[in-house]
Amino acid sequence: MSNVFEIEAAKIEIAGGKADEAKQFAQDMIRDHGKAGPVLNDAAKKDGIELPAALDAEYTAKLAALRQSGAANLDQAYVSTQATGAIQSRGRMGSSNGRLQRSCRTFECI
């Protein structure tokens, strides 16, 4: 579910964002999560785990909020959303992405 969210959020940023660094980060997210999705799906299938077919209400609401951010605030909203997700997952995956940290400093989201 997170992979789908990351890709959809990145598409929103690319379509409406203005900051080149945020848009490049979004491109990286699409590439990385696009590669990770099939690997995750295969691993889940091998372990007999059924992954959700659709986003839950929380992720759907986050995407709706990004869409409603408006051009002036979209970069900040996108990077902030990514920073929050990175902080929440840091314990599971190690330190967060260096480019995200630089983007956050640029947009003052953390």
Side-chain angles (χ1 to χ4, degrees):
M1 186 175 320
S2 178
N3 266 349
V4 173
F5 170 78
E6 299 296 351
I7 291 169
E8 292 305 313
K11 287 177 182 178
I12 294 168
E13 169 60 29
I14 290 167
K18 295 186 185 242
D20 290 339
E21 189 169 1
K23 290 173 91 169
Q24 181 58 56
F25 181 76
Q27 288 283 0
D28 293 346
M29 294 297 280
I30 289 172
R31 181 195 66 231
D32 295 347
H33 284 271
K35 289 178 184 176
V39 173
L40 175 63
N41 289 338
D42 288 347
K45 186 181 257 184
K46 286 178 185 175
D47 287 344
I49 299 169
E50 186 174 338
L51 297 176
L55 294 175
D56 65 14
E58 178 185 357
Y59 284 116
T60 300
K62 287 179 181 181
L63 288 176
L66 278 177
R67 287 186 187 101
Q68 295 172 358
S69 293
N73 299 314
L74 180 57
D75 296 321
Q76 173 70 35
Y78 174 70
V79 173
S80 181
T81 298
Q82 295 304 309
T84 300
I87 290 166
Q88 290 172 346
S89 66
R90 184 177 288 163
R92 294 187 304 267
M93 298 178 3
S95 64
S96 62
N97 184 297
R99 178 174 284 142
L100 175 61
Q101 291 173 343
R102 288 189 301 279
S103 295
C104 282
R105 283 192 291 276
T106 300
F107 293 101
E108 300 176 357
C109 63
I110 59 173

